[in-house]
Amino acid sequence: MAVVTKAPKRDIYVKVWPASVTSAATSYSGRVGKVVSEGPSGEGQTIVIVDIAGEPERKVFNGCDLDLITKKEYFNEALRGG
């Protein structure tokens, strides 16, 4: 099954806070990023593609593993290397 995502209408900044200990997002816990695209995963959840600060490749997360943050919080963390 194909998953269709699209770019958000506005800039969205997030912090990774895994919803469970078994989440694949645990290795990025506390890291900040900017949402590139998002869409429904077909399982009643949201799939989100994120540029994580300091990572060379984009990462895919479940929407429940991300918390919205402000642009200022994103840049403060990104400049610290977080």
Side-chain angles (χ1 to χ4, degrees):
M1 177 180 86
V3 175
V4 179
T5 63
K6 60 182 180 179
K9 293 180 181 173
R10 61 178 179 84
D11 287 345
I12 299 174
Y13 300 95
V14 293
K15 182 172 266 198
V16 181
W17 288 123
S20 72
V21 204
T22 58
S23 170
T26 52
S27 56
Y28 298 100
S29 184
R31 302 280 299 275
V32 296
K34 182 178 179 182
V35 174
V36 175
S37 60
E38 59 185 343
S41 72
E43 301 169 359
Q45 297 179 350
T46 304
I47 188 168
V48 185
I49 300 170
V50 180
D51 268 332
I52 295 288
E55 289 291 321
E57 296 178 6
R58 293 174 171 166
K59 307 297 177 190
V60 179
F61 296 102
N62 185 325
C64 69
D65 289 330
L66 303 172
D67 282 344
L68 295 179
I69 60 172
T70 66
K71 183 176 182 177
K72 182 177 180 178
E73 288 173 305
Y74 167 80
F75 282 105
N76 284 342
E77 287 293 320
L79 288 173
R80 270 187 250 165

